[in-house]
Amino acid sequence: MMPINYYIFLGVILFCIGVTGVLTRRNAIIIFMCIELMLNAVNLLLVAFSKMHHAIAAANQGAATTVGTEGQLFVFFIMVVAAAEVSVGLAIIVMMYRNTHSVDVNFLNRLKH
């Protein structure tokens, strides 16, 4: 089994890439993809810690156990919510493109006035 430090390092790197993309990019689709990258980084860490917790419980009890599966179940629900977010977000981006012929988020500030 791989050490948990590798998963933590990978999750932190993916999350930082997502945050950097959200803060620096102006394209709505790129921002949307970076938000999904952050969600997947958190999902990776949830599954890694769940697996670690399950392995520790199995080693202590010596039998098949369901301890540690809550994190994986939580990841499933996060993915369902992310799928709903993708459908709504892409619909908003398509409508924004139809009205403004651009997916630049700075252009949305001009629509306020």
Side-chain angles (χ1 to χ4, degrees):
M1 188 168 136
M2 284 179 46
I4 195 73
N5 297 340
Y6 295 152
Y7 292 110
I8 294 172
F9 182 71
L10 180 62
V12 167
I13 293 297
L14 288 175
F15 193 84
C16 289
I17 290 171
V19 168
T20 304
V22 167
L23 295 177
T24 59
R25 300 296 180 153
R26 294 294 156 229
N27 188 339
I29 296 174
I30 303 274
I31 291 172
F32 198 59
M33 287 173 34
C34 289
I35 290 171
E36 293 297 322
L37 185 64
M38 289 188 294
L39 279 173
N40 285 330
V42 172
N43 284 342
L44 173 70
L45 290 176
L46 278 171
V47 169
F49 283 120
S50 173
K51 183 73 175 166
M52 182 187 71
H53 190 237
H54 177 73
I56 290 172
N60 289 340
Q61 294 177 359
T65 180
T66 60
V67 174
T69 57
E70 296 88 7
Q72 295 174 9
L73 186 63
F74 194 57
V75 165
F76 176 73
F77 286 118
I78 290 173
M79 291 178 105
V80 168
V81 170
E85 173 200 354
V86 165
S87 63
V88 171
L90 286 177
I92 291 171
I93 289 172
V94 166
M95 291 305 297
M96 182 179 80
Y97 182 77
R98 283 184 185 173
N99 291 333
T100 63
H101 298 291
S102 174
V103 288
D104 188 14
V105 292
N106 287 332
F107 190 73
L108 292 177
N109 289 334
R110 290 183 231 147
L111 293 177
K112 292 179 187 177
H113 304 288

